[in-house]
Amino acid sequence: MPHYLYLARCADDSLYAGTCLDLAEREATHNAGKGSKYTRSRLPLRFVYHEEFATLSEVRKREAAVKR
């Protein structure tokens, strides 16, 4: 099962980076107000970019690099 890094554009025009296994499910979770604390007050959001990785380790390393 692939792991994804995603960038989401929030309603306030900020970007949020996260990881997940299912892009559509994660976007719906965020927009239902059940995602991260950061995004709850910045809804709605939409995913604007993603990358696919084979392992959780790889995606977490990439997420850390993007957030730097």
PDB file of all heavy atoms in Angstrom, residues 13-53:
ATOM      1  N   ASP A  13      -5.570  30.609   2.592  1.00  0.00           N
ATOM      2  CA  ASP A  13      -4.501  30.570   1.599  1.00  0.00           C
ATOM      3  C   ASP A  13      -3.180  30.026   2.134  1.00  0.00           C
ATOM      4  O   ASP A  13      -2.169  30.075   1.457  1.00  0.00           O
ATOM      5  CB  ASP A  13      -4.292  31.941   0.945  1.00  0.00           C
ATOM      6  CG  ASP A  13      -3.879  31.809  -0.515  1.00  0.00           C
ATOM      7  OD1 ASP A  13      -4.295  30.835  -1.165  1.00  0.00           O
ATOM      8  OD2 ASP A  13      -3.120  32.664  -0.992  1.00  0.00           O
ATOM      9  N   SER A  14      -3.159  29.512   3.358  1.00  0.00           N
ATOM     10  CA  SER A  14      -1.949  28.884   3.884  1.00  0.00           C
ATOM     11  C   SER A  14      -1.850  27.460   3.349  1.00  0.00           C
ATOM     12  O   SER A  14      -2.820  26.900   2.835  1.00  0.00           O
ATOM     13  CB  SER A  14      -1.972  28.877   5.418  1.00  0.00           C
ATOM     14  OG  SER A  14      -3.044  28.085   5.897  1.00  0.00           O
ATOM     15  N   LEU A  15      -0.659  26.885   3.463  1.00  0.00           N
ATOM     16  CA  LEU A  15      -0.428  25.505   3.053  1.00  0.00           C
ATOM     17  C   LEU A  15      -0.231  24.627   4.278  1.00  0.00           C
ATOM     18  O   LEU A  15       0.368  25.050   5.270  1.00  0.00           O
ATOM     19  CB  LEU A  15       0.810  25.391   2.163  1.00  0.00           C
ATOM     20  CG  LEU A  15       0.672  25.881   0.738  1.00  0.00           C
ATOM     21  CD1 LEU A  15       2.040  25.867   0.053  1.00  0.00           C
ATOM     22  CD2 LEU A  15      -0.311  25.028  -0.049  1.00  0.00           C
ATOM     23  N   TYR A  16      -0.721  23.402   4.193  1.00  0.00           N
ATOM     24  CA  TYR A  16      -0.550  22.421   5.251  1.00  0.00           C
ATOM     25  C   TYR A  16       0.023  21.163   4.622  1.00  0.00           C
ATOM     26  O   TYR A  16      -0.460  20.711   3.579  1.00  0.00           O
ATOM     27  CB  TYR A  16      -1.906  22.107   5.909  1.00  0.00           C
ATOM     28  CG  TYR A  16      -1.817  21.007   6.932  1.00  0.00           C
ATOM     29  CD1 TYR A  16      -1.384  21.281   8.222  1.00  0.00           C
ATOM     30  CD2 TYR A  16      -2.150  19.699   6.609  1.00  0.00           C
ATOM     31  CE1 TYR A  16      -1.290  20.276   9.171  1.00  0.00           C
ATOM     32  CE2 TYR A  16      -2.055  18.690   7.551  1.00  0.00           C
ATOM     33  CZ  TYR A  16      -1.615  18.985   8.832  1.00  0.00           C
ATOM     34  OH  TYR A  16      -1.519  17.997   9.760  1.00  0.00           O
ATOM     35  N   ALA A  17       1.068  20.596   5.219  1.00  0.00           N
ATOM     36  CA  ALA A  17       1.673  19.359   4.726  1.00  0.00           C
ATOM     37  C   ALA A  17       1.335  18.222   5.680  1.00  0.00           C
ATOM     38  O   ALA A  17       1.366  18.389   6.904  1.00  0.00           O
ATOM     39  CB  ALA A  17       3.181  19.507   4.621  1.00  0.00           C
ATOM     40  N   GLY A  18       1.010  17.067   5.114  1.00  0.00           N
ATOM     41  CA  GLY A  18       0.700  15.907   5.927  1.00  0.00           C
ATOM     42  C   GLY A  18       0.959  14.630   5.159  1.00  0.00           C
ATOM     43  O   GLY A  18       1.344  14.659   3.988  1.00  0.00           O
ATOM     44  N   THR A  19       0.729  13.507   5.826  1.00  0.00           N
ATOM     45  CA  THR A  19       0.892  12.194   5.201  1.00  0.00           C
ATOM     46  C   THR A  19      -0.359  11.362   5.434  1.00  0.00           C
ATOM     47  O   THR A  19      -1.099  11.586   6.393  1.00  0.00           O
ATOM     48  CB  THR A  19       2.110  11.444   5.774  1.00  0.00           C
ATOM     49  OG1 THR A  19       1.892  11.164   7.152  1.00  0.00           O
ATOM     50  CG2 THR A  19       3.390  12.246   5.596  1.00  0.00           C
ATOM     51  N   CYS A  20      -0.583  10.402   4.542  1.00  0.00           N
ATOM     52  CA  CYS A  20      -1.751   9.539   4.679  1.00  0.00           C
ATOM     53  C   CYS A  20      -1.601   8.318   3.783  1.00  0.00           C
ATOM     54  O   CYS A  20      -0.664   8.218   2.996  1.00  0.00           O
ATOM     55  CB  CYS A  20      -3.027  10.288   4.324  1.00  0.00           C
ATOM     56  SG  CYS A  20      -3.146  10.756   2.590  1.00  0.00           S
ATOM     57  N   LEU A  21      -2.564   7.407   3.887  1.00  0.00           N
ATOM     58  CA  LEU A  21      -2.631   6.230   3.030  1.00  0.00           C
ATOM     59  C   LEU A  21      -3.670   6.385   1.935  1.00  0.00           C
ATOM     60  O   LEU A  21      -3.576   5.758   0.890  1.00  0.00           O
ATOM     61  CB  LEU A  21      -2.944   4.979   3.861  1.00  0.00           C
ATOM     62  CG  LEU A  21      -1.870   4.557   4.853  1.00  0.00           C
ATOM     63  CD1 LEU A  21      -2.392   3.426   5.730  1.00  0.00           C
ATOM     64  CD2 LEU A  21      -0.605   4.133   4.136  1.00  0.00           C
ATOM     65  N   ASP A  22      -4.690   7.211   2.173  1.00  0.00           N
ATOM     66  CA  ASP A  22      -5.795   7.398   1.227  1.00  0.00           C
ATOM     67  C   ASP A  22      -6.077   8.894   1.093  1.00  0.00           C
ATOM     68  O   ASP A  22      -6.593   9.515   2.028  1.00  0.00           O
ATOM     69  CB  ASP A  22      -7.025   6.649   1.740  1.00  0.00           C
ATOM     70  CG  ASP A  22      -8.212   6.716   0.811  1.00  0.00           C
ATOM     71  OD1 ASP A  22      -8.472   7.786   0.220  1.00  0.00           O
ATOM     72  OD2 ASP A  22      -8.902   5.698   0.685  1.00  0.00           O
ATOM     73  N   LEU A  23      -5.741   9.459  -0.043  1.00  0.00           N
ATOM     74  CA  LEU A  23      -5.865  10.907  -0.236  1.00  0.00           C
ATOM     75  C   LEU A  23      -7.305  11.401  -0.122  1.00  0.00           C
ATOM     76  O   LEU A  23      -7.570  12.395   0.559  1.00  0.00           O
ATOM     77  CB  LEU A  23      -5.285  11.307  -1.593  1.00  0.00           C
ATOM     78  CG  LEU A  23      -3.771  11.161  -1.730  1.00  0.00           C
ATOM     79  CD1 LEU A  23      -3.354  11.270  -3.193  1.00  0.00           C
ATOM     80  CD2 LEU A  23      -3.057  12.207  -0.890  1.00  0.00           C
ATOM     81  N   ALA A  24      -8.225  10.742  -0.790  1.00  0.00           N
ATOM     82  CA  ALA A  24      -9.624  11.182  -0.783  1.00  0.00           C
ATOM     83  C   ALA A  24     -10.210  11.118   0.627  1.00  0.00           C
ATOM     84  O   ALA A  24     -10.914  12.043   1.065  1.00  0.00           O
ATOM     85  CB  ALA A  24     -10.455  10.348  -1.748  1.00  0.00           C
ATOM     86  N   GLU A  25      -9.921  10.051   1.338  1.00  0.00           N
ATOM     87  CA  GLU A  25     -10.437   9.894   2.701  1.00  0.00           C
ATOM     88  C   GLU A  25      -9.856  10.961   3.633  1.00  0.00           C
ATOM     89  O   GLU A  25     -10.561  11.539   4.451  1.00  0.00           O
ATOM     90  CB  GLU A  25     -10.093   8.500   3.227  1.00  0.00           C
ATOM     91  CG  GLU A  25     -10.587   8.240   4.629  1.00  0.00           C
ATOM     92  CD  GLU A  25     -10.210   6.842   5.103  1.00  0.00           C
ATOM     93  OE1 GLU A  25     -10.356   5.886   4.320  1.00  0.00           O
ATOM     94  OE2 GLU A  25      -9.762   6.737   6.259  1.00  0.00           O
ATOM     95  N   ARG A  26      -8.568  11.245   3.483  1.00  0.00           N
ATOM     96  CA  ARG A  26      -7.926  12.224   4.354  1.00  0.00           C
ATOM     97  C   ARG A  26      -8.451  13.635   4.087  1.00  0.00           C
ATOM     98  O   ARG A  26      -8.696  14.406   5.020  1.00  0.00           O
ATOM     99  CB  ARG A  26      -6.405  12.182   4.174  1.00  0.00           C
ATOM    100  CG  ARG A  26      -5.664  13.056   5.153  1.00  0.00           C
ATOM    101  CD  ARG A  26      -5.882  12.588   6.578  1.00  0.00           C
ATOM    102  NE  ARG A  26      -5.130  13.442   7.493  1.00  0.00           N
ATOM    103  CZ  ARG A  26      -5.473  13.654   8.751  1.00  0.00           C
ATOM    104  NH1 ARG A  26      -6.522  13.054   9.276  1.00  0.00           N
ATOM    105  NH2 ARG A  26      -4.752  14.435   9.508  1.00  0.00           N
ATOM    106  N   GLU A  27      -8.645  13.978   2.823  1.00  0.00           N
ATOM    107  CA  GLU A  27      -9.201  15.289   2.504  1.00  0.00           C
ATOM    108  C   GLU A  27     -10.604  15.432   3.096  1.00  0.00           C
ATOM    109  O   GLU A  27     -10.950  16.468   3.667  1.00  0.00           O
ATOM    110  CB  GLU A  27      -9.227  15.504   0.990  1.00  0.00           C
ATOM    111  CG  GLU A  27      -9.640  16.894   0.590  1.00  0.00           C
ATOM    112  CD  GLU A  27      -9.524  17.148  -0.905  1.00  0.00           C
ATOM    113  OE1 GLU A  27      -9.481  16.182  -1.696  1.00  0.00           O
ATOM    114  OE2 GLU A  27      -9.488  18.316  -1.291  1.00  0.00           O
ATOM    115  N   ALA A  28     -11.408  14.390   2.984  1.00  0.00           N
ATOM    116  CA  ALA A  28     -12.762  14.421   3.550  1.00  0.00           C
ATOM    117  C   ALA A  28     -12.715  14.546   5.074  1.00  0.00           C
ATOM    118  O   ALA A  28     -13.516  15.289   5.669  1.00  0.00           O
ATOM    119  CB  ALA A  28     -13.523  13.168   3.140  1.00  0.00           C
ATOM    120  N   THR A  29     -11.778  13.871   5.712  1.00  0.00           N
ATOM    121  CA  THR A  29     -11.629  13.948   7.162  1.00  0.00           C
ATOM    122  C   THR A  29     -11.288  15.376   7.584  1.00  0.00           C
ATOM    123  O   THR A  29     -11.873  15.913   8.529  1.00  0.00           O
ATOM    124  CB  THR A  29     -10.540  12.972   7.655  1.00  0.00           C
ATOM    125  OG1 THR A  29     -10.925  11.646   7.316  1.00  0.00           O
ATOM    126  CG2 THR A  29     -10.329  13.070   9.155  1.00  0.00           C
ATOM    127  N   HIS A  30     -10.342  15.978   6.893  1.00  0.00           N
ATOM    128  CA  HIS A  30     -10.001  17.379   7.190  1.00  0.00           C
ATOM    129  C   HIS A  30     -11.229  18.271   7.042  1.00  0.00           C
ATOM    130  O   HIS A  30     -11.531  19.068   7.930  1.00  0.00           O
ATOM    131  CB  HIS A  30      -8.913  17.882   6.240  1.00  0.00           C
ATOM    132  CG  HIS A  30      -7.520  17.549   6.650  1.00  0.00           C
ATOM    133  ND1 HIS A  30      -6.935  18.025   7.806  1.00  0.00           N
ATOM    134  CD2 HIS A  30      -6.567  16.792   6.042  1.00  0.00           C
ATOM    135  CE1 HIS A  30      -5.702  17.584   7.888  1.00  0.00           C
ATOM    136  NE2 HIS A  30      -5.447  16.826   6.826  1.00  0.00           N
ATOM    137  N   ASN A  31     -11.941  18.150   5.917  1.00  0.00           N
ATOM    138  CA  ASN A  31     -13.080  19.034   5.651  1.00  0.00           C
ATOM    139  C   ASN A  31     -14.272  18.773   6.558  1.00  0.00           C
ATOM    140  O   ASN A  31     -15.149  19.626   6.673  1.00  0.00           O
ATOM    141  CB  ASN A  31     -13.461  18.984   4.173  1.00  0.00           C
ATOM    142  CG  ASN A  31     -12.520  19.834   3.349  1.00  0.00           C
ATOM    143  OD1 ASN A  31     -12.192  20.948   3.712  1.00  0.00           O
ATOM    144  ND2 ASN A  31     -12.065  19.287   2.236  1.00  0.00           N
ATOM    145  N   ALA A  32     -14.288  17.627   7.228  1.00  0.00           N
ATOM    146  CA  ALA A  32     -15.323  17.349   8.223  1.00  0.00           C
ATOM    147  C   ALA A  32     -14.950  17.932   9.587  1.00  0.00           C
ATOM    148  O   ALA A  32     -15.696  17.785  10.557  1.00  0.00           O
ATOM    149  CB  ALA A  32     -15.538  15.842   8.334  1.00  0.00           C
ATOM    150  N   GLY A  33     -13.793  18.593   9.657  1.00  0.00           N
ATOM    151  CA  GLY A  33     -13.344  19.190  10.911  1.00  0.00           C
ATOM    152  C   GLY A  33     -12.693  18.201  11.847  1.00  0.00           C
ATOM    153  O   GLY A  33     -12.496  18.480  13.022  1.00  0.00           O
ATOM    154  N   LYS A  34     -12.336  17.031  11.332  1.00  0.00           N
ATOM    155  CA  LYS A  34     -11.750  15.981  12.163  1.00  0.00           C
ATOM    156  C   LYS A  34     -10.296  15.698  11.811  1.00  0.00           C
ATOM    157  O   LYS A  34      -9.740  14.685  12.180  1.00  0.00           O
ATOM    158  CB  LYS A  34     -12.575  14.696  12.027  1.00  0.00           C
ATOM    159  CG  LYS A  34     -13.991  14.872  12.511  1.00  0.00           C
ATOM    160  CD  LYS A  34     -14.800  13.621  12.327  1.00  0.00           C
ATOM    161  CE  LYS A  34     -16.223  13.864  12.806  1.00  0.00           C
ATOM    162  NZ  LYS A  34     -17.074  12.703  12.586  1.00  0.00           N
ATOM    163  N   GLY A  35      -9.687  16.640  11.081  1.00  0.00           N
ATOM    164  CA  GLY A  35      -8.287  16.488  10.709  1.00  0.00           C
ATOM    165  C   GLY A  35      -7.406  17.098  11.780  1.00  0.00           C
ATOM    166  O   GLY A  35      -7.697  17.012  12.971  1.00  0.00           O
ATOM    167  N   SER A  36      -6.371  17.764  11.379  1.00  0.00           N
ATOM    168  CA  SER A  36      -5.432  18.352  12.326  1.00  0.00           C
ATOM    169  C   SER A  36      -6.025  19.586  13.002  1.00  0.00           C
ATOM    170  O   SER A  36      -6.943  20.229  12.483  1.00  0.00           O
ATOM    171  CB  SER A  36      -4.149  18.734  11.602  1.00  0.00           C
ATOM    172  OG  SER A  36      -4.366  19.871  10.807  1.00  0.00           O
ATOM    173  N   LYS A  37      -5.470  19.927  14.142  1.00  0.00           N
ATOM    174  CA  LYS A  37      -5.900  21.116  14.864  1.00  0.00           C
ATOM    175  C   LYS A  37      -5.676  22.368  14.014  1.00  0.00           C
ATOM    176  O   LYS A  37      -6.506  23.276  14.000  1.00  0.00           O
ATOM    177  CB  LYS A  37      -5.116  21.216  16.174  1.00  0.00           C
ATOM    178  CG  LYS A  37      -5.556  22.315  17.078  1.00  0.00           C
ATOM    179  CD  LYS A  37      -4.788  22.266  18.388  1.00  0.00           C
ATOM    180  CE  LYS A  37      -5.240  23.360  19.321  1.00  0.00           C
ATOM    181  NZ  LYS A  37      -4.502  23.322  20.587  1.00  0.00           N
ATOM    182  N   TYR A  38      -4.565  22.392  13.284  1.00  0.00           N
ATOM    183  CA  TYR A  38      -4.240  23.549  12.436  1.00  0.00           C
ATOM    184  C   TYR A  38      -5.320  23.800  11.392  1.00  0.00           C
ATOM    185  O   TYR A  38      -5.733  24.936  11.178  1.00  0.00           O
ATOM    186  CB  TYR A  38      -2.881  23.333  11.744  1.00  0.00           C
ATOM    187  CG  TYR A  38      -2.505  24.477  10.826  1.00  0.00           C
ATOM    188  CD1 TYR A  38      -1.875  25.609  11.335  1.00  0.00           C
ATOM    189  CD2 TYR A  38      -2.807  24.443   9.466  1.00  0.00           C
ATOM    190  CE1 TYR A  38      -1.540  26.675  10.513  1.00  0.00           C
ATOM    191  CE2 TYR A  38      -2.472  25.503   8.632  1.00  0.00           C
ATOM    192  CZ  TYR A  38      -1.847  26.610   9.162  1.00  0.00           C
ATOM    193  OH  TYR A  38      -1.534  27.660   8.341  1.00  0.00           O
ATOM    194  N   THR A  39      -5.791  22.755  10.732  1.00  0.00           N
ATOM    195  CA  THR A  39      -6.726  22.945   9.616  1.00  0.00           C
ATOM    196  C   THR A  39      -8.164  23.182  10.063  1.00  0.00           C
ATOM    197  O   THR A  39      -8.948  23.740   9.307  1.00  0.00           O
ATOM    198  CB  THR A  39      -6.695  21.744   8.645  1.00  0.00           C
ATOM    199  OG1 THR A  39      -7.098  20.557   9.332  1.00  0.00           O
ATOM    200  CG2 THR A  39      -5.318  21.569   8.035  1.00  0.00           C
ATOM    201  N   ARG A  40      -8.532  22.784  11.262  1.00  0.00           N
ATOM    202  CA  ARG A  40      -9.925  22.906  11.712  1.00  0.00           C
ATOM    203  C   ARG A  40     -10.474  24.321  11.614  1.00  0.00           C
ATOM    204  O   ARG A  40     -11.655  24.514  11.309  1.00  0.00           O
ATOM    205  CB  ARG A  40     -10.068  22.422  13.150  1.00  0.00           C
ATOM    206  CG  ARG A  40     -10.181  20.945  13.245  1.00  0.00           C
ATOM    207  CD  ARG A  40     -10.399  20.481  14.673  1.00  0.00           C
ATOM    208  NE  ARG A  40      -9.614  19.261  14.824  1.00  0.00           N
ATOM    209  CZ  ARG A  40      -8.966  18.906  15.894  1.00  0.00           C
ATOM    210  NH1 ARG A  40      -9.007  19.661  16.968  1.00  0.00           N
ATOM    211  NH2 ARG A  40      -8.281  17.797  15.920  1.00  0.00           N
ATOM    212  N   SER A  41      -9.632  25.303  11.861  1.00  0.00           N
ATOM    213  CA  SER A  41     -10.096  26.701  11.828  1.00  0.00           C
ATOM    214  C   SER A  41      -9.837  27.353  10.469  1.00  0.00           C
ATOM    215  O   SER A  41     -10.046  28.551  10.318  1.00  0.00           O
ATOM    216  CB  SER A  41      -9.403  27.510  12.930  1.00  0.00           C
ATOM    217  OG  SER A  41      -8.006  27.545  12.698  1.00  0.00           O
ATOM    218  N   ARG A  42      -9.393  26.551   9.490  1.00  0.00           N
ATOM    219  CA  ARG A  42      -9.049  27.101   8.177  1.00  0.00           C
ATOM    220  C   ARG A  42      -9.770  26.371   7.042  1.00  0.00           C
ATOM    221  O   ARG A  42      -9.236  26.228   5.958  1.00  0.00           O
ATOM    222  CB  ARG A  42      -7.538  27.017   7.981  1.00  0.00           C
ATOM    223  CG  ARG A  42      -6.763  27.890   8.929  1.00  0.00           C
ATOM    224  CD  ARG A  42      -5.281  27.556   8.922  1.00  0.00           C
ATOM    225  NE  ARG A  42      -4.516  28.546   9.673  1.00  0.00           N
ATOM    226  CZ  ARG A  42      -4.338  28.516  10.976  1.00  0.00           C
ATOM    227  NH1 ARG A  42      -4.878  27.557  11.693  1.00  0.00           N
ATOM    228  NH2 ARG A  42      -3.617  29.445  11.567  1.00  0.00           N
ATOM    229  N   LEU A  43     -10.962  25.919   7.307  1.00  0.00           N
ATOM    230  CA  LEU A  43     -11.724  25.147   6.315  1.00  0.00           C
ATOM    231  C   LEU A  43     -12.519  26.061   5.401  1.00  0.00           C
ATOM    232  O   LEU A  43     -12.863  27.176   5.803  1.00  0.00           O
ATOM    233  CB  LEU A  43     -12.667  24.186   7.043  1.00  0.00           C
ATOM    234  CG  LEU A  43     -11.974  23.137   7.900  1.00  0.00           C
ATOM    235  CD1 LEU A  43     -13.013  22.298   8.640  1.00  0.00           C
ATOM    236  CD2 LEU A  43     -11.065  22.253   7.091  1.00  0.00           C
ATOM    237  N   PRO A  44     -12.857  25.617   4.219  1.00  0.00           N
ATOM    238  CA  PRO A  44     -12.490  24.315   3.654  1.00  0.00           C
ATOM    239  C   PRO A  44     -11.062  24.332   3.107  1.00  0.00           C
ATOM    240  O   PRO A  44     -10.468  25.395   2.921  1.00  0.00           O
ATOM    241  CB  PRO A  44     -13.489  24.127   2.516  1.00  0.00           C
ATOM    242  CG  PRO A  44     -13.775  25.518   2.056  1.00  0.00           C
ATOM    243  CD  PRO A  44     -13.718  26.377   3.311  1.00  0.00           C
ATOM    244  N   LEU A  45     -10.557  23.136   2.868  1.00  0.00           N
ATOM    245  CA  LEU A  45      -9.253  23.019   2.246  1.00  0.00           C
ATOM    246  C   LEU A  45      -9.360  22.082   1.056  1.00  0.00           C
ATOM    247  O   LEU A  45     -10.331  21.347   0.907  1.00  0.00           O
ATOM    248  CB  LEU A  45      -8.195  22.538   3.244  1.00  0.00           C
ATOM    249  CG  LEU A  45      -8.338  21.176   3.918  1.00  0.00           C
ATOM    250  CD1 LEU A  45      -8.019  20.024   2.981  1.00  0.00           C
ATOM    251  CD2 LEU A  45      -7.421  21.110   5.112  1.00  0.00           C
ATOM    252  N   ARG A  46      -8.344  22.143   0.203  1.00  0.00           N
ATOM    253  CA  ARG A  46      -8.295  21.221  -0.939  1.00  0.00           C
ATOM    254  C   ARG A  46      -6.859  20.796  -1.145  1.00  0.00           C
ATOM    255  O   ARG A  46      -5.931  21.583  -0.933  1.00  0.00           O
ATOM    256  CB  ARG A  46      -8.867  21.851  -2.195  1.00  0.00           C
ATOM    257  CG  ARG A  46      -8.162  23.071  -2.699  1.00  0.00           C
ATOM    258  CD  ARG A  46      -8.849  23.684  -3.928  1.00  0.00           C
ATOM    259  NE  ARG A  46      -8.387  25.024  -4.202  1.00  0.00           N
ATOM    260  CZ  ARG A  46      -7.187  25.344  -4.686  1.00  0.00           C
ATOM    261  NH1 ARG A  46      -6.321  24.394  -4.967  1.00  0.00           N
ATOM    262  NH2 ARG A  46      -6.845  26.592  -4.897  1.00  0.00           N
ATOM    263  N   PHE A  47      -6.675  19.560  -1.506  1.00  0.00           N
ATOM    264  CA  PHE A  47      -5.335  19.051  -1.767  1.00  0.00           C
ATOM    265  C   PHE A  47      -4.870  19.597  -3.107  1.00  0.00           C
ATOM    266  O   PHE A  47      -5.595  19.537  -4.094  1.00  0.00           O
ATOM    267  CB  PHE A  47      -5.327  17.524  -1.788  1.00  0.00           C
ATOM    268  CG  PHE A  47      -5.420  16.880  -0.416  1.00  0.00           C
ATOM    269  CD1 PHE A  47      -5.696  17.618   0.711  1.00  0.00           C
ATOM    270  CD2 PHE A  47      -5.223  15.528  -0.274  1.00  0.00           C
ATOM    271  CE1 PHE A  47      -5.773  17.017   1.966  1.00  0.00           C
ATOM    272  CE2 PHE A  47      -5.291  14.922   0.966  1.00  0.00           C
ATOM    273  CZ  PHE A  47      -5.565  15.668   2.097  1.00  0.00           C
ATOM    274  N   VAL A  48      -3.669  20.149  -3.127  1.00  0.00           N
ATOM    275  CA  VAL A  48      -3.152  20.772  -4.342  1.00  0.00           C
ATOM    276  C   VAL A  48      -1.929  20.046  -4.900  1.00  0.00           C
ATOM    277  O   VAL A  48      -1.492  20.332  -6.017  1.00  0.00           O
ATOM    278  CB  VAL A  48      -2.822  22.261  -4.120  1.00  0.00           C
ATOM    279  CG1 VAL A  48      -4.095  23.045  -3.841  1.00  0.00           C
ATOM    280  CG2 VAL A  48      -1.802  22.454  -3.015  1.00  0.00           C
ATOM    281  N   TYR A  49      -1.359  19.111  -4.113  1.00  0.00           N
ATOM    282  CA  TYR A  49      -0.154  18.410  -4.562  1.00  0.00           C
ATOM    283  C   TYR A  49       0.009  17.139  -3.738  1.00  0.00           C
ATOM    284  O   TYR A  49      -0.377  17.100  -2.557  1.00  0.00           O
ATOM    285  CB  TYR A  49       1.068  19.308  -4.348  1.00  0.00           C
ATOM    286  CG  TYR A  49       2.367  18.674  -4.753  1.00  0.00           C
ATOM    287  CD1 TYR A  49       2.754  18.621  -6.084  1.00  0.00           C
ATOM    288  CD2 TYR A  49       3.217  18.123  -3.795  1.00  0.00           C
ATOM    289  CE1 TYR A  49       3.952  18.032  -6.461  1.00  0.00           C
ATOM    290  CE2 TYR A  49       4.411  17.542  -4.158  1.00  0.00           C
ATOM    291  CZ  TYR A  49       4.775  17.494  -5.495  1.00  0.00           C
ATOM    292  OH  TYR A  49       5.957  16.907  -5.861  1.00  0.00           O
ATOM    293  N   HIS A  50       0.571  16.102  -4.343  1.00  0.00           N
ATOM    294  CA  HIS A  50       0.919  14.907  -3.574  1.00  0.00           C
ATOM    295  C   HIS A  50       2.078  14.167  -4.229  1.00  0.00           C
ATOM    296  O   HIS A  50       2.336  14.332  -5.424  1.00  0.00           O
ATOM    297  CB  HIS A  50      -0.282  13.974  -3.401  1.00  0.00           C
ATOM    298  CG  HIS A  50      -0.694  13.266  -4.650  1.00  0.00           C
ATOM    299  ND1 HIS A  50      -1.582  13.813  -5.545  1.00  0.00           N
ATOM    300  CD2 HIS A  50      -0.324  12.068  -5.172  1.00  0.00           C
ATOM    301  CE1 HIS A  50      -1.761  12.970  -6.552  1.00  0.00           C
ATOM    302  NE2 HIS A  50      -0.987  11.913  -6.354  1.00  0.00           N
ATOM    303  N   GLU A  51       2.780  13.390  -3.408  1.00  0.00           N
ATOM    304  CA  GLU A  51       3.847  12.503  -3.857  1.00  0.00           C
ATOM    305  C   GLU A  51       3.582  11.135  -3.248  1.00  0.00           C
ATOM    306  O   GLU A  51       3.052  11.040  -2.138  1.00  0.00           O
ATOM    307  CB  GLU A  51       5.217  13.001  -3.388  1.00  0.00           C
ATOM    308  CG  GLU A  51       5.642  14.321  -3.988  1.00  0.00           C
ATOM    309  CD  GLU A  51       6.976  14.818  -3.452  1.00  0.00           C
ATOM    310  OE1 GLU A  51       7.702  14.053  -2.781  1.00  0.00           O
ATOM    311  OE2 GLU A  51       7.297  15.990  -3.706  1.00  0.00           O
ATOM    312  N   GLU A  52       3.965  10.090  -3.954  1.00  0.00           N
ATOM    313  CA  GLU A  52       3.730   8.716  -3.503  1.00  0.00           C
ATOM    314  C   GLU A  52       5.049   8.073  -3.088  1.00  0.00           C
ATOM    315  O   GLU A  52       6.066   8.240  -3.762  1.00  0.00           O
ATOM    316  CB  GLU A  52       3.099   7.914  -4.641  1.00  0.00           C
ATOM    317  CG  GLU A  52       2.687   6.520  -4.249  1.00  0.00           C
ATOM    318  CD  GLU A  52       1.964   5.803  -5.384  1.00  0.00           C
ATOM    319  OE1 GLU A  52       1.107   6.432  -6.039  1.00  0.00           O
ATOM    320  OE2 GLU A  52       2.272   4.619  -5.599  1.00  0.00           O
ATOM    321  N   PHE A  53       5.019   7.311  -1.987  1.00  0.00           N
ATOM    322  CA  PHE A  53       6.195   6.622  -1.463  1.00  0.00           C
ATOM    323  C   PHE A  53       5.841   5.178  -1.108  1.00  0.00           C
ATOM    324  O   PHE A  53       4.701   4.881  -0.772  1.00  0.00           O
ATOM    325  CB  PHE A  53       6.731   7.338  -0.217  1.00  0.00           C
ATOM    326  CG  PHE A  53       7.198   8.728  -0.502  1.00  0.00           C
ATOM    327  CD1 PHE A  53       6.316   9.791  -0.491  1.00  0.00           C
ATOM    328  CD2 PHE A  53       8.516   8.980  -0.821  1.00  0.00           C
ATOM    329  CE1 PHE A  53       6.729  11.082  -0.773  1.00  0.00           C
ATOM    330  CE2 PHE A  53       8.955  10.270  -1.111  1.00  0.00           C
ATOM    331  CZ  PHE A  53       8.056  11.316  -1.090  1.00  0.00           C
TER     332      PHE A  53
END
